[in-house]
Amino acid sequence: MRLRFHHVLGRGAYGEVVLAEDTVTCQRYAVKVIRKRALLAEVELADVMVEHRVLQLTSGSRFLVHAEFAFQTKMHVLLGLEYLSCGDLDQLLQSKGPLDVNSARFYAAEMVCGIQHLHTMGIIHRDLKPENILVAETGHVKITDFGLALENMYGDRTANDYAGTEGYVAPEMDAREEYNAAVDWFSFGVIINQMITGERKYHHKLFNESTSGAKSIILQLLKRNPAKRLGVNRDIRKHRFFQQIDWISVESLRVPPPHILESSKPEHLEPFHLDAVEAAEAKDFRPSPKDQAMFRGFSFSNLKTLLDTSSKTTGASSPTEPP
């Protein structure tokens, strides 16, 4: 395998996110290493497969994280995402404090491009929040984490199941009512409010005359009636908050970012060895052919030769495709 695994970037309920490198091109990836046993036991396979499908579609936008490859071993599925090394918008806000309006406008404009691209593909994110807005070394931002996304949400289709993070959830979802893509625009309004005021909850006293355009767009995004909410009701790009924005330049990444951040590094570099993780998992779990069939079709690659594995990799960590 041309992938060399380095260290653990983070841990979740179903596995780790690991920094990996293509030994030929030196390109780095954030690889989600997810235990099949956990997915099957918790009946969360559907969410992972949704994210797997969405990530293959997001490559059409510069403002959405996308997957470069996916493969599986006997015990794990692995999803290789582009690696953004400068943390997320939440960390940026913690280090910089509330942003000036121009900086907030820049990040908001790039998020608009990503959100609109998702909605054009019939996808509702459902968990927009600063932690899910990653910052690249270039200073531009990308939306990530599509585990709660809904697909095929075109036209008048609605949903009613609850998803998201407290404080960013739209009132219609909170009330367990039918909802559509307007829920993402509500979350986006909370994010703009948080960027400018440092608070998730809107309060008019936190705004002054110089932030009147920001106040206006936030109020229109936070409308309780989703049919009247900006983004669904009217073209958000034409709001006066964005009147200084050249959208062609934004889409082509020609607008200089307000902040260039240093790459973030984990405090404790925990090494990762796929063979060892695979062997440890095999001690307690023996997936049946029926179990393995659940993961049929998982593997793909947007890279021509990265997963050159069948003749070069041996042992437990050999990527497989269930029969």
Side-chain angles (χ1 to χ4, degrees):
M1 190 191 310
R2 276 171 48 175
L3 280 181
R4 176 186 294 124
F5 291 96
H6 291 295
H7 55 263
V8 175
L9 296 169
R11 294 188 179 278
Y14 307 115
E16 295 82 24
V17 178
V18 182
L19 179 64
E21 182 180 359
D22 181 342
T23 57
V24 175
T25 66
C26 297
Q27 181 68 42
R28 295 185 296 174
Y29 303 97
V31 180
K32 286 189 174 185
V33 183
I34 308 168
R35 299 188 305 276
K36 290 181 176 179
R37 174 173 56 161
L39 296 178
L40 293 165
E42 298 294 332
V43 200
E44 296 292 343
L45 179 57
D47 290 346
V48 170
M49 296 307 288
V50 167
E51 183 172 30
H52 170 269
R53 290 191 296 270
V54 170
L55 282 164
Q56 293 179 71
L57 298 173
T58 56
S59 58
S61 172
R62 293 182 170 97
F63 307 101
L64 302 173
V65 168
H66 61 272
E68 296 285 12
F69 58 84
F71 65 94
Q72 57 183 293
T73 66
K74 187 175 182 181
M75 299 294 168
H76 296 82
V77 293
L78 296 91
L79 191 56
L81 313 180
E82 54 181 329
Y83 175 58
L84 280 73
S85 63
C86 293
D88 56 45
L89 183 61
D90 182 64
Q91 293 169 311
L92 186 150
L93 294 177
Q94 289 182 35
S95 65
K96 303 293 183 182
L99 303 178
D100 62 88
V101 173
N102 287 331
S103 295
R105 183 183 291 113
F106 169 86
Y107 296 121
E110 294 203 332
M111 281 184 265
V112 164
C113 296
I115 294 168
Q116 288 184 329
H117 188 83
L118 283 176
H119 292 176
T120 299
M121 296 189 297
I123 296 166
I124 305 176
H125 190 284
R126 298 201 301 176
D127 197 22
L128 291 172
K129 56 185 177 181
E131 293 92 331
N132 286 340
I133 312 297
L134 298 185
V135 183
E137 292 178 0
T138 58
H140 297 281
V141 296
K142 294 195 177 198
I143 297 169
T144 191
D145 198 345
F146 304 102
L148 297 180
L150 274 183
E151 303 169 284
N152 301 314
M153 295 298 291
Y154 293 104
D156 295 330
R157 282 197 71 177
T158 59
N160 57 18
D161 55 316
Y162 185 93
T165 300
E166 185 178 355
Y168 299 92
V169 174
E172 63 270 27
M173 184 184 285
D174 235 352
R176 306 304 197 270
E177 297 171 353
E178 297 285 324
Y179 60 83
N180 57 19
V183 297
D184 281 350
W185 293 117
F186 183 92
S187 302
F188 178 58
V190 177
I191 294 171
I192 297 180
N193 188 72
Q194 189 171 354
M195 284 195 292
I196 293 173
T197 70
E199 303 289 338
R200 283 184 291 183
K201 194 172 182 62
Y202 170 82
H203 197 288
H204 68 92
K205 289 184 178 180
L206 298 176
F207 295 86
N208 54 42
E209 191 61 33
S210 66
T211 57
S212 60
K215 178 179 179 179
S216 171
I217 196 172
I218 290 167
L219 286 173
Q220 292 184 51
L221 287 165
L222 298 183
K223 282 186 178 293
R224 294 192 64 84
N225 184 343
K228 296 182 178 180
R229 196 171 296 152
L230 185 62
V232 172
N233 181 261
R234 287 178 287 117
D235 185 354
I236 191 171
R237 296 189 183 205
K238 294 181 179 179
H239 189 278
R240 64 188 176 100
F241 179 68
F242 291 123
Q243 65 183 359
Q244 302 173 24
I245 291 293
D246 177 349
W247 289 100
I248 294 176
S249 295
V250 170
E251 292 273 13
S252 57
L253 301 181
R254 294 202 305 266
V255 179
H259 302 286
I260 302 296
L261 305 180
E262 294 184 3
S263 296
S264 59
K265 296 180 180 179
E267 292 184 8
H268 306 288
L269 297 181
E270 180 183 347
F272 180 87
H273 303 284
L274 183 57
D275 286 338
V277 171
E278 187 81 0
E281 186 71 4
K283 291 180 181 179
D284 301 317
F285 177 54
R286 294 186 178 182
S288 68
K290 183 179 179 181
D291 291 334
Q292 296 288 24
M294 298 289 289
F295 300 93
R296 184 179 289 119
F298 186 85
S299 301
F300 75 88
S301 178
N302 291 329
L303 308 172
K304 291 182 179 178
T305 56
L306 174 61
L307 299 179
D308 180 15
T309 57
S310 58
S311 62
K312 297 182 180 180
T313 310
T314 60
S317 62
S318 298
T320 62
E321 188 67 39

